[in-house]
Amino acid sequence: MGSTPEAVVPQTPSTAPGFYQGTGRRKRAVARVALRPGTGRIDVNGKPAEVYFHAMLPLQREMLLLDPFRVTGTQDQFDVKTTISGGGIPA
């Protein structure tokens, strides 16, 4: 007669609506990316993308980082947090 209560599952960041994550690997390099609803901020290893990719020309950096969002019509809708380790250009 009474309805059974539905289980309440708390939402962790990985199960929250609009949260996406992925991991890419090549040889010894690993990149972990998390997208969540936001204002378009992009951080790489805890630094703003402009600081992390300082050696790139601004137009190259903009194309590399923002074109996927432009193509999908989601520019300024997600914040991106990326952790990169291994590989890369030697300092």
Side-chain angles (χ1 to χ4, degrees):
M1 306 250 246
S3 63
T4 57
E6 291 185 30
V8 176
V9 178
Q11 288 190 339
T12 61
S14 62
T15 61
F19 180 88
Y20 305 94
Q21 63 184 10
T23 301
R25 294 184 176 91
R26 184 172 188 276
K27 295 184 182 180
R28 294 183 150 208
V30 179
R32 291 181 179 84
V33 180
L35 284 90
R36 54 181 51 116
T39 60
R41 180 180 173 90
I42 300 175
D43 290 332
V44 181
N45 289 351
K47 299 177 185 176
E50 299 80 30
V51 174
Y52 191 84
F53 294 111
H54 65 88
M56 294 179 78
L57 295 173
L59 184 58
Q60 289 175 317
R61 185 174 54 234
E62 186 176 316
M63 286 174 43
L64 174 75
L65 299 172
L66 300 180
D67 274 0
F69 296 102
R70 281 195 196 113
V71 168
T72 58
T74 56
Q75 191 172 2
D76 299 328
Q77 294 181 20
F78 289 96
D79 288 343
V80 181
K81 290 196 179 232
T82 303
T83 305
I84 301 172
S85 62
I89 301 170

